[in-house]
Amino acid sequence: MRFHWLLAALLVPGMGMAAEGMWTLDNLPKAKMQAEYGFTPTDAWIKRTMLGSARIAGGCSASFVSKDGLVMTNHHCASECLDQRSTATKNLIQDGFLAKRREEELSCPEIELNRLEQITDVTDQVKSATAGLDGAAFKSAQNAIKAKLTSACVGNDKETVRCDVVDLYHGGQYQVYKYHRFQDTRLVWAPEKAAAFFGGDPDNFNFPRYDLDITMLRAYEGGKPAKIENYFPFSKNGAEEGELVFVTGQPGSTQRQLTVSQLDTLRDVTLVNTLLRLAEMRGVLEQYSKTSPEAARNAEHMLFGVENGYKALRGRLTTLQDPALMKQKQDEETALRKYVAQQPALQAKIGGAWDEIAAAQQVYRQIEAPYGIIEGGRGFNSKYFSYARALVRGAVERAKPNGERLPEYADAKLPEVEQELFSTAPVYPEFEKVMLGLSFTKMREMLGADDAFVKQVLGKQSPDQLSAALIDHTKLGDPAVRKALWQGGQEAILKSDDPFIKMELALDPAARAIRTRYEKEVESVQQKNSELIAQARFAQQGTSTYPDATFTLRLSYGEVKGWKDGDKQIAPFTTIGGAFERDTGADPFALPASWHAAKGKLNLAQRYDLVTTNDIIGGNSGSPMINRNGEIVGLIFDGNIHSLGGAFWYDPRFNRSIAVHSGAILETLDKVYGGSALKQEILAH
């Protein structure tokens, strides 16, 4: 796939970027919004929007839609809960779920909801703490000040308060985001996957779409539904073509402000290696899924994530491989460096920042494989191993002063660690053996059979032999065992004979060593010099631009609008009737039986899915789409194929967000799923 439109788009002089931007709520482009759409959000509108929005800590967006804590998000954002509450005889992902009464709502053991309540600028404190420092000293000082700030923010309310230090503009600003934490989250309604992901991977990142990608959860406090003052009411009619709409959500990560050397590394190393890993993992998961229905159920959640990630990252790689985009990025960087060079004071302070970051990229390329395998995101793919690492490191880190710990074990982060460790979600040993065996195999392939770390891990065993031996003798699948080890601290860990604990104790020194090198020679260099480049941008542009996405609350504004693909005009809406026309009876284009049974009752002309010009990225899944009155008109669940390059740039002519229409949610909830009481709750405001 080539983005044939990219070169032409980049060469259009003065192309309007009206809808571009993932704006923080404390720095909205109010003048632009007024000039373009005749709308200026009031302080009260912004506050209601902030408090009505929510975040699923694992990586999705959500929103409150009733006074009794009802939360709307995507089906694929809650699929882990659906999987964890399923059994061999009851598959909630395939069959769907509806709680007719509150007592029937099912606990989601690993879903934490966050609601942003306060933003505090701490730029001066963070930069003062790291002033004049480099390498490991810079990183240690930064960790310490972040731990201090988050601890002070949380205070004695760690069960209900979460605080994060957020890096904006790649170090240009630092802010503390204070959240209300809801750790008791329960499942209320989810349609069948056949409806939520109709069209499957072939339709993913495409349009027209016919998906009911929705799940309703409920936040509880003190064993009762949370009382919510600020929530979004539903619009029955939705939005019309050309109407102003807003997306309020948590875009995960964009790279629009990275240096050219960082983009080169992303293109040539990180994305390529990640795609190769995902492609191989997809093959293993598909083969395992064919061994039995239960194997298919156990692998389903991971397989969905792998397929979705592969398609998204392939689009990003294709974008970065286009010479036109890289030329644009080089021209932008050259212009900023020229601006700095023309001012002696700035040049003396900032001029070398780009070269320092480029040098750090070379170090990263040298250590990418061992860092990724031993310490980073490509490590041993096993829940058992994750539990062991959290237990071993947690015991060591909690014994240290808060400011000296690894950031993920700071006091403010411990509730999140404990939620995962104490989770009652099932672990499937046979599936774990397959995934851990694959991890060991890839480790040996990438590092070499003679590598010291590989020899330490495998010894005389094959990857599959070691995987089976570890999993057959571990007790870490039992949450009570994990809780006892956590509470017992270092003494309990050192006395444990669990094979995963013993392996992690042996491997942790090597893992920490490669992490230390990465933090000293790559991460700290990038962070320090990115701060300097941000200062240059601020000197040139002020804060009139938006920061790269950081999985924090942002507002995007745009309009309901299709696009032109060659000679074909893509309409902005699909209908429920169109879903039946697209139905072939064969997966993934087979509507569930519930839909066929309800066809006679449904309004087939009801708008189903829609596209808008809102600027979104991964992490926005589950975001509410609202109108100027703050009413739900849609639920974001995807972007079109052109949006896959949105990590690096935005083109309003082609980039589109895809959402479920609010009217379709109400129509199907009642007539297909029998959720009349839930519909009444949503409409009661």
Side-chain angles (χ1 to χ4, degrees):
M1 177 189 65
R2 292 293 293 173
F3 293 160
H4 56 83
W5 41 270
L6 181 56
L7 177 59
L10 289 171
L11 295 178
V12 175
M15 183 173 64
M17 293 292 181
E20 179 181 354
M22 303 170 189
W23 299 90
T24 57
L25 270 71
D26 59 344
N27 186 35
L28 295 179
K30 296 180 181 179
K32 286 183 64 179
M33 294 163 74
Q34 178 63 38
E36 293 164 11
Y37 290 103
F39 175 77
T40 300
T42 64
D43 290 344
W45 189 95
I46 294 170
K47 183 177 180 179
R48 286 197 306 271
T49 298
M50 180 176 78
L51 295 176
S53 304
R55 179 177 77 171
I56 296 177
C60 274
S61 301
S63 60
F64 290 100
V65 293
S66 88
K67 63 181 179 62
D68 290 328
L70 195 65
V71 172
M72 180 176 71
T73 190
N74 287 152
H75 185 278
H76 71 265
C77 290
S79 62
E80 187 170 24
C81 175
L82 293 167
D83 173 54
Q84 292 167 349
R85 296 309 307 253
S86 294
T87 66
T89 57
K90 183 64 175 176
N91 188 334
L92 300 186
I93 292 181
Q94 299 297 337
D95 302 338
F97 175 80
L98 175 67
K100 295 282 189 178
R101 297 173 297 136
R102 300 273 172 90
E103 307 87 77
E104 297 175 355
E105 295 173 358
L106 300 177
S107 174
C108 292
E110 295 180 12
I111 289 186
E112 174 181 306
L113 293 166
N114 302 147
R115 179 183 65 202
L116 180 61
E117 299 193 336
Q118 184 178 323
I119 300 173
T120 304
D121 188 85
V122 293
T123 304
D124 290 343
Q125 294 96 307
V126 174
K127 291 191 174 182
S128 294
T130 59
L133 301 177
D134 294 294
F138 177 95
K139 184 63 178 176
S140 295
Q142 190 177 75
N143 287 347
I145 188 63
K146 287 183 176 181
K148 179 180 179 181
L149 291 167
T150 54
S151 181
C153 174
V154 171
N156 296 320
D157 301 319
K158 68 176 183 178
E159 298 303 321
T160 58
V161 174
R162 171 178 178 149
C163 295
D164 298 333
V165 176
V166 177
D167 171 353
L168 299 175
Y169 301 99
H170 297 279
Q173 288 182 353
Y174 292 93
Q175 296 180 329
V176 170
Y177 276 41
K178 183 176 183 178
Y179 298 93
H180 189 94
R181 182 196 298 269
F182 300 90
Q183 285 196 311
D184 185 356
T185 304
R186 305 186 192 182
L187 178 65
V188 179
W189 169 55
E192 310 93 333
K193 183 183 178 183
F197 197 46
F198 181 78
D201 190 58
D203 270 2
N204 197 19
F205 296 110
N206 285 298
F207 195 83
R209 289 291 284 280
Y210 304 89
D211 286 17
L212 188 66
D213 195 348
I214 184 173
T215 293
M216 291 289 185
L217 307 170
R218 194 182 303 279
Y220 276 71
E221 289 191 302
K224 298 179 180 179
K227 294 303 177 184
I228 304 297
E229 293 184 11
N230 293 276
Y231 60 91
F232 297 118
F234 257 67
S235 166
K236 296 180 181 178
N237 298 324
E240 296 297 322
E241 186 170 3
E243 184 175 339
L244 171 66
V245 291
F246 306 88
V247 172
T248 168
Q250 324 280 332
S253 175
T254 55
Q255 293 81 39
R256 298 178 185 179
Q257 296 169 353
L258 292 188
T259 67
V260 171
S261 67
Q262 288 173 305
L263 293 175
D264 285 342
T265 299
L266 194 60
R267 179 194 62 206
D268 300 337
V269 179
T270 310
L271 284 174
V272 171
N273 288 341
T274 302
L275 284 166
L276 288 171
R277 178 177 61 90
L278 290 176
E280 188 162 6
M281 190 180 295
R282 179 173 61 181
V284 170
L285 290 168
E286 287 176 341
Q287 287 300 112
Y288 178 73
S289 297
K290 293 176 182 178
T291 60
S292 72
E294 180 65 359
R297 184 182 72 82
N298 294 345
E300 185 172 16
H301 174 73
M302 183 176 287
L303 180 57
F304 173 86
V306 167
E307 289 182 331
N308 188 68
Y310 182 85
K311 200 166 188 178
L313 295 181
R314 188 180 65 177
R316 294 190 185 189
L317 179 60
T318 301
T319 302
L320 286 178
Q321 288 173 335
D322 196 302
L325 177 74
M326 295 306 292
K327 182 180 185 303
Q328 183 199 39
K329 293 295 183 180
Q330 184 63 69
D331 289 346
E332 291 172 355
E333 183 171 302
T334 299
L336 184 58
R337 295 184 74 164
K338 183 177 180 181
Y339 171 81
V340 169
Q342 291 171 345
Q343 303 180 63
L346 272 181
Q347 176 65 23
K349 183 178 181 181
I350 297 172
W354 288 270
D355 295 336
E356 291 288 334
I357 290 176
Q361 301 312 298
Q362 298 308 310
V363 177
Y364 174 73
R365 289 170 183 247
Q366 296 170 16
I367 68 172
E368 189 267 346
Y371 173 73
I373 292 168
I374 298 172
E375 176 64 21
R378 294 203 314 279
F380 302 143
N381 198 335
S382 164
K383 281 193 172 183
Y384 296 116
F385 183 80
S386 295
Y387 292 146
R389 173 156 286 185
L391 289 166
V392 169
R393 287 195 173 175
V396 173
E397 297 301 315
R398 286 181 298 149
K400 300 176 182 178
N402 186 42
E404 297 177 14
R405 300 177 192 171
L406 295 175
E408 59 267 33
Y409 297 101
D411 282 338
K413 299 291 185 181
L414 291 182
E416 189 175 354
V417 177
E418 291 174 346
Q419 183 181 32
E420 181 178 351
L421 276 177
F422 305 159
S423 168
T424 57
V427 184
Y428 305 112
E430 294 308 310
F431 178 63
E432 290 288 313
K433 288 178 184 179
V434 172
M435 299 314 298
L436 186 57
L438 174 63
S439 298
F440 289 152
T441 299
K442 297 307 295 181
M443 171 196 68
R444 184 174 63 184
E445 175 187 316
M446 297 187 70
L447 298 183
D450 295 324
D451 181 84
F453 184 80
V454 174
K455 288 183 175 181
Q456 184 183 12
V457 173
L458 293 180
K460 299 293 185 180
Q461 298 184 82
S462 73
D464 288 342
Q465 287 173 334
L466 177 59
S467 173
L470 289 166
I471 291 171
D472 285 344
H473 295 93
T474 187
K475 294 183 175 61
L476 293 187
D478 185 346
V481 171
R482 301 194 299 269
K483 190 169 187 177
L485 287 168
W486 179 259
Q487 293 175 339
Q490 288 179 281
E491 182 179 0
I493 293 295
L494 293 174
K495 288 181 178 179
S496 174
D497 62 356
D498 191 279
F500 276 100
I501 296 292
K502 292 170 72 174
M503 183 176 74
E504 173 58 18
L505 283 169
L507 299 182
D508 199 47
R512 285 179 180 262
I514 192 70
R515 174 172 175 161
T516 298
R517 185 181 178 193
Y518 172 77
E519 290 178 345
K520 177 182 178 181
E521 299 181 37
V522 181
E523 187 177 36
S524 63
V525 176
Q526 291 185 151
Q527 289 179 336
K528 179 174 181 177
N529 288 282
S530 292
E531 287 185 8
L532 297 176
I533 293 173
Q535 291 179 31
R537 285 201 183 96
F538 286 157
Q540 184 185 48
Q541 305 167 2
T543 55
S544 61
T545 60
Y546 57 93
D548 264 328
T550 53
F551 192 50
T552 50
L553 187 60
R554 304 293 179 90
L555 188 78
S556 164
Y557 70 96
E559 63 185 84
V560 179
K561 187 178 182 180
W563 76 97
K564 196 169 184 178
D565 187 3
D567 295 330
K568 184 179 180 181
Q569 183 65 41
I570 308 297
F573 298 105
T574 61
T575 65
I576 289 177
F580 285 97
E581 293 172 6
R582 197 168 178 81
D583 177 52
T584 67
D587 185 65
F589 296 98
L591 287 171
S594 61
W595 279 62
H596 288 288
K599 184 176 180 180
K601 297 183 292 184
L602 287 167
N603 174 12
L604 299 182
Q606 167 64 53
R607 290 169 174 171
Y608 193 179
D609 292 343
L610 70 151
V611 289
T612 72
T613 62
N614 293 88
D615 190 3
I616 66 165
I617 199 73
N620 272 117
S621 290
S623 295
M625 179 181 287
I626 61 176
N627 60 20
R628 64 181 69 205
N629 296 323
E631 299 168 327
I632 297 282
V633 296
L635 169 63
I636 290 288
F637 70 91
D638 206 356
N640 66 353
I641 200 73
H642 306 287
S643 71
L644 293 178
F648 312 112
W649 80 305
Y650 175 84
D651 181 353
R653 301 178 306 160
F654 298 105
N655 285 41
R656 292 295 180 270
S657 300
I658 306 176
V660 188
H661 193 282
S662 57
I665 294 171
L666 297 172
E667 177 80 1
T668 56
L669 173 59
D670 183 13
K671 296 180 181 178
V672 177
Y673 297 101
S676 57
L678 191 58
K679 179 179 176 180
Q680 290 175 8
E681 179 181 350
I682 292 170
L683 294 177
H685 53 82

